[in-house]
Amino acid sequence: MTAFWWTVAALLLVTLLAGLIRIWRGPNPADRMLAAQLFGTTGVAILLLLAQAMQTPALNDVALVPALLAVVAMVAFVRRARPEAEEPE
């Protein structure tokens, strides 16, 4: 069963390569931000798979860090991209 987790983690690394290409060639900032979100989500998935494959529960806690950073990055992007969406005074 461990080989299965390692195989899935390797396939997720391939999706990271696709996201990297989108970041380099993205036609607009929104596409680049979505690719960065793909990095965050895939990174969390890889960490969770590695925690399962290596029987290391501490990696589950480590996976929370990129998940939280991805949310903060998206909020910062939306606030920067749409300044009119801020609350009125």
Side-chain angles (χ1 to χ4, degrees):
M1 190 65 167
T2 304
F4 172 74
W5 298 123
W6 287 103
T7 304
V8 173
L11 290 173
L12 286 173
L13 285 173
V14 173
T15 65
L16 280 179
L17 179 63
L20 186 61
I21 292 169
R22 174 53 66 190
I23 286 176
W24 279 333
R25 301 175 120 193
N28 58 34
D31 286 335
R32 290 187 173 111
M33 187 63 208
L34 285 174
Q37 287 296 315
L38 173 71
F39 267 65
T41 305
T42 306
V44 169
I46 289 172
L47 284 171
L48 291 173
L49 286 171
L50 291 177
Q52 188 71 24
M54 297 188 311
Q55 304 282 323
T56 310
L59 282 178
N60 290 332
D61 297 331
V62 173
L64 289 173
V65 174
L68 292 173
L69 287 176
V71 171
V72 170
M74 182 55 86
V75 169
F77 174 76
V78 168
R79 287 212 166 213
R80 182 175 173 257
R82 295 187 177 226
E84 70 275 358
E86 294 180 15
E87 295 181 19
E89 292 182 24

